[in-house]
Amino acid sequence: MPSIRLTSRRVSAPAVGLALLGAALAGAPARAADMTRTPPLAYKAPAPVVEQSPWQIRLRLLGVLPEDGGSVRGVNGSNLDYSDSVVPELDITYYFTKNWAAELILGVTPHDISGAGTLKSLDKIAEVWLLPPTLTLQYHFTDLGAFKPYVGAGINYTFFFDQKAYSADSIDVKDTFGWALQAGFDYMLDEHWGLNVDVKKLFLKPDFDVVVAGQKLTGTADLDPWIVGVGVTYRF
C-alpha cells in the first residue's frame, strides 16, 4: 500500500497582517459612503390651524353730535337746536367671512331740544332720551397687519322715551327709521385685544307733536347726528 505524506506550510505573521490590512482597506469605501449618506428627514406634522371665533365686542365712548335744524309747521322762520351728548356704548360684531361682518350698536343718549329762529324765546323746549339701535353690514380690509380698517352701511330705528317738556306744555317725538353710514378701524394689540376708532352718520328726521300755550303744533326735527367713538375691541 502506498504511503500518504501530509505536509504543512507555515504561514508567517507578516503575511497574516498584510491579508487583514487588505481586507480592511477593501471595506473602507463602503463604510465611508455610509457615513456621508444624508439621513432621511423626519416627517413633522403641521401645527393645527386654530380658527378665530366669528364674535367680537367693543366698548366705546361716543360723542353724539346732532346737526341743528328743523321746523314747526305753520310757524315762519322756526328752527330747532339740539345739545350734544357723550355716552358709553356696546356693540356686537359677527364675522360671516374674514371680510364681511354685521355690527349692532346699543346705547342710549339724552338731548335737549331748544327753540331757534322765531322760536328763540322758547329757549329749552324739551329733553328727550334716544335709544338708536343701528345694524350695519361691514367690509373689513385685510392683509394690512395689525391695522384693520372697515366701511359699512345699514339701517337705524330710533326710540324716543322719557320725554320732558319745559317751555312747552307737552312734546311727543315719534320713533322713526333712518339710514346709517360708517367708517373706522381696529388696531389689534394681539390676537384678541385692540383699539377702535369709529365714525357713523345717521340720517334721522323724526316728526313730533308739541303743545305750546294750549295750541297743538307739529313739526320735523332734522337731527342727522354724527356719532364719533373710541374704545376697546375684544375678538373671541
Side-chain angles (χ1 to χ4, degrees), residues 35-152:
M35 294 178 63
T36 57
R37 184 181 301 162
T38 303
L41 295 177
Y43 175 74
K44 185 176 181 181
V49 177
V50 179
E51 292 190 8
Q52 200 167 16
S53 167
W55 293 100
Q56 176 180 279
I57 61 172
R58 296 188 187 93
L59 182 62
R60 296 190 185 111
L61 189 65
L62 297 185
V64 184
L65 315 172
E67 294 186 358
D68 295 330
S71 62
V72 175
R73 295 181 182 90
V75 180
N76 293 330
S78 60
N79 206 339
L80 297 170
D81 291 341
Y82 316 102
S83 64
D84 300 334
S85 182
V86 177
V87 295
E89 173 261 351
L90 172 71
D91 77 67
I92 303 169
T93 303
Y94 183 85
Y95 285 82
F96 304 106
T97 69
K98 69 177 183 178
N99 297 108
W100 291 99
E103 179 193 84
L104 176 66
I105 68 166
L106 301 169
V108 295
T109 173
H111 296 276
D112 294 339
I113 303 174
S114 301
T118 55
L119 301 178
K120 185 72 173 177
S121 61
L122 294 178
D123 196 23
K124 183 177 177 179
I125 297 173
E127 178 184 294
V128 299
W129 281 78
L130 284 68
L131 172 61
T134 303
L135 180 65
T136 59
L137 179 65
Q138 301 171 332
Y139 183 83
H140 291 253
F141 298 91
T142 55
D143 302 324
L144 296 174
F147 180 63
K148 301 184 181 300
Y150 57 86
V151 293

